[in-house]
Amino acid sequence: MNNMRSQDWDPKSAAVLRDQRAAFDEMRERCPVAYSDLLGWSLFRHEDLVRVLNDPVTFSSVVSRNLSVPNGMDPPEHGQYRRLIEPYFAPHAMQAFEPQCRSLAADLVRSLHGRAGLDLMEGFAHPFAVRVQCVFLGWPASMHEPLRAWAQKNHAATFAQDRTAMVEIAREFAGYVTELLQVRRGTGVQGSQDVVGSLISQQVKGRPLNDEEIISILRNWTVGEISTIAAAVGVVAQYLAEHTALQQQLRTQPGALPDAIEEVLRLFGPLLANRRVTTRAVEIGGRSIAAGERISLNWVAANRDGRVFSDPQSFRSDRDASANLLYGAGIHVCPGAPLARMELRVAVQALLDGTAGIEPIAGRAPTSAVYPASGFATLPLHLTFPSPPVVHQR
Ligand code: HEM
């Protein structure tokens, strides 16, 4: 008997990878609920994503046997862990962290002086994301390179669907954290000194968090931060390079940055998709989906849905931002959004403050990142720097 199911699309086909955003737009209009062997049922319409996000009973987040805190959990367990992690992203914690982020971003921009024809992903976006995450977690600078390489391997293994490599990569991350936990426990460093030390002293279900849970929390924060922040920085930098009027406006009105960043990232989502699994048979967009089927929520397509956003392909600073699904919605809405918003504001501000101009380079087009990443793989940009003040000798 032939168990092969016919595919509505292939997310890894050359045509899709050439321009994922255009391909998702096309799918949303032609086949908004589409089956592929790689992703199961992809949903592209805003309305369908909102339905799933608001019904965690029918659309479960327990998509794998591996522990994933709190991403891969359903209520009531999800809420127990979610309550525990939210304070790490509270306004006072973000305010306290912002000055370090600022000086890190300014240092990185200064390090770009004299580099004509720079790849902004390699020179700024990736190092910014990795360094900021290390500072946030209280990890040493010696972790920058291992963490960058780890995130890259993680993407490559996901692209190749290489389960053996994925297990090895998970083990590698666990190794980093276990070492840090041993150091903390060995020296009795507990309490709120840093994130790892603080997690050791957290209680869940009436007992301390165990190592497996701490490793999972930190892995989800790291995966959540590194690739999306780097992609988002690249997307915004490229948009400003292409739209000089907006770039000039933001140079003189930094207060407009947060809304502008959110609208640019609606236009070009830095995160492709998240998963669910059906707990009962459902009908979505006229398609019948059985219980136990995989669902993939395509954020990029949903945020460009003309049924919800008028003139969806245009930047509009006066939009009602409440429909923007950049950080999701419902019980799994991104808990790291306050950190992400602060990091992105600080990174873009540093790029604007530290340069006189950001421009594309004629003849050197950016290359797109591919599944499971979004944004750009390489982003050649020309940065001009303000001339140093002339010091007159008397
Ligand atoms: C531009 C940057 C970011 C974007 C676009 C983003 C987007 C999202 C989205 C759309 C979700 C919902 C997923 C779902 O419904 O399945 C989510 C969840 C999550 N994000 Fe983010 N995120 C970003 C940055 C971060 C950062 C900086 C962290 C932590 C350091 C983080 C940690 C998480 C975690 C732990 C979840 C799971 C929450 C839960 O299951 O309750 N994210 N993120």
Side-chain angles (χ1 to χ4, degrees):
M1 198 177 94
N2 186 1
N3 281 329
M4 295 285 282
R5 219 189 269 186
S6 75
Q7 294 203 89
D8 298 311
W9 73 308
D10 175 3
K12 278 177 28 179
S13 68
V16 171
L17 297 185
R18 200 173 307 125
D19 185 347
Q20 297 188 124
R21 205 166 48 136
F24 300 155
D25 279 344
E26 195 259 335
M27 288 303 295
R28 186 190 55 239
E29 301 312 315
R30 182 175 62 79
C31 185
V33 181
Y35 181 80
S36 67
D37 293 336
L38 180 67
L39 301 176
W41 294 94
S42 287
L43 308 186
F44 297 96
R45 281 195 308 215
H46 190 281
E47 173 194 357
D48 294 334
L49 265 73
V50 169
R51 170 178 167 194
V52 170
L53 296 169
N54 289 329
D55 184 359
V57 174
T58 307
F59 302 97
S60 164
S61 287
V62 186
V63 294
S64 126
R65 279 192 305 270
N66 301 326
L67 179 74
S68 179
V69 185
N71 309 39
M73 294 176 159
D74 287 338
E77 193 179 35
H78 171 262
Q80 293 171 322
Y81 288 90
R82 178 84 197 200
R83 274 191 291 283
L84 188 151
I85 66 171
E86 278 177 356
Y88 291 88
F89 306 99
H92 66 273
M94 298 301 96
Q95 268 165 26
F97 184 44
E98 183 167 336
Q100 278 171 286
C101 265
R102 256 182 208 294
S103 73
L104 192 154
D107 285 351
L108 259 176
V109 174
R110 267 193 296 276
S111 76
L112 304 177
H113 277 239
R115 287 185 58 184
L118 157 95
D119 172 7
L120 194 99
M121 297 310 294
E122 178 263 327
F124 185 76
H126 288 301
F128 174 75
V130 167
R131 287 178 198 192
V132 130
Q133 180 68 0
C134 280
V135 180
F136 179 66
L137 297 178
W139 289 9
S142 57
M143 279 298 291
H144 292 168
E145 183 45 31
L147 214 52
R148 192 201 58 76
W150 179 83
Q152 213 169 42
K153 279 186 277 184
N154 202 18
H155 270 144
T158 309
F159 182 86
Q161 292 291 291
D162 183 342
R163 307 259 166 228
T164 321
M166 286 183 206
V167 170
E168 187 43 47
I169 288 161
R171 205 174 286 148
E172 184 183 332
F173 191 88
Y176 297 142
V177 179
T178 308
E179 216 171 282
L180 288 164
L181 288 172
Q182 277 162 359
V183 173
R184 296 295 184 291
R185 292 204 169 105
T187 53
V189 182
Q190 291 199 3
S192 58
Q193 273 89 344
D194 64 18
V195 166
V196 176
S198 159
L199 285 172
I200 290 175
S201 58
Q202 293 285 355
Q203 296 271 325
V204 73
K205 304 174 188 170
R207 54 152 179 89
L209 278 179
N210 62 37
D211 285 9
E212 202 194 347
E213 290 161 337
I214 296 176
I215 290 164
S216 176
I217 289 172
L218 294 177
R219 189 174 52 231
N220 284 331
W221 289 1
T222 304
V223 172
E225 204 266 3
I226 288 188
S227 50
T228 39
I229 292 291
V233 168
V235 164
V236 176
Q238 158 71 359
Y239 195 85
L240 296 184
E242 295 279 358
H243 298 84
T244 41
L246 180 65
Q247 185 185 141
Q248 284 316 322
Q249 186 207 334
L250 295 176
R251 284 180 184 280
T252 52
Q253 298 170 18
L257 267 175
D259 288 350
I261 291 172
E262 219 107 323
E263 171 67 353
V264 171
L265 297 177
R266 178 194 66 76
L267 275 171
F268 196 155
L271 176 68
L272 289 193
N274 281 94
R275 298 189 291 161
R276 299 289 187 272
V277 60
T278 51
T279 56
R280 61 174 176 85
V282 283
E283 180 134 334
I284 309 178
R287 308 282 302 252
S288 299
I289 300 178
E293 294 277 315
R294 290 170 298 146
I295 301 280
S296 171
L297 305 174
N298 190 298
W299 306 111
V300 177
N303 260 343
R304 295 163 59 81
D305 189 339
R307 295 161 195 83
V308 174
F309 304 98
S310 60
D311 195 8
Q313 312 224 3
S314 299
F315 175 94
R316 293 251 305 267
S317 55
D318 60 345
R319 276 189 203 283
D320 168 12
S322 63
N324 191 340
L325 292 177
L326 174 62
Y327 293 105
I331 62 166
H332 292 277
V333 67
C334 181
L339 177 62
R341 289 187 169 117
M342 185 274 282
E343 289 181 8
L344 293 175
R345 176 171 49 76
V346 161
V348 178
Q349 178 96 61
L351 276 174
L352 293 175
D353 287 351
T355 62
I358 305 171
E359 293 156 35
I361 301 177
R364 284 183 58 197
T367 52
S368 300
V370 294
Y371 172 85
S374 184
F376 300 103
T378 63
L379 178 54
L381 287 180
H382 181 72
L383 307 186
T384 42
F385 294 95
S387 16
V390 180
V391 181
H392 295 284
Q393 301 285 338
R394 281 179 182 270

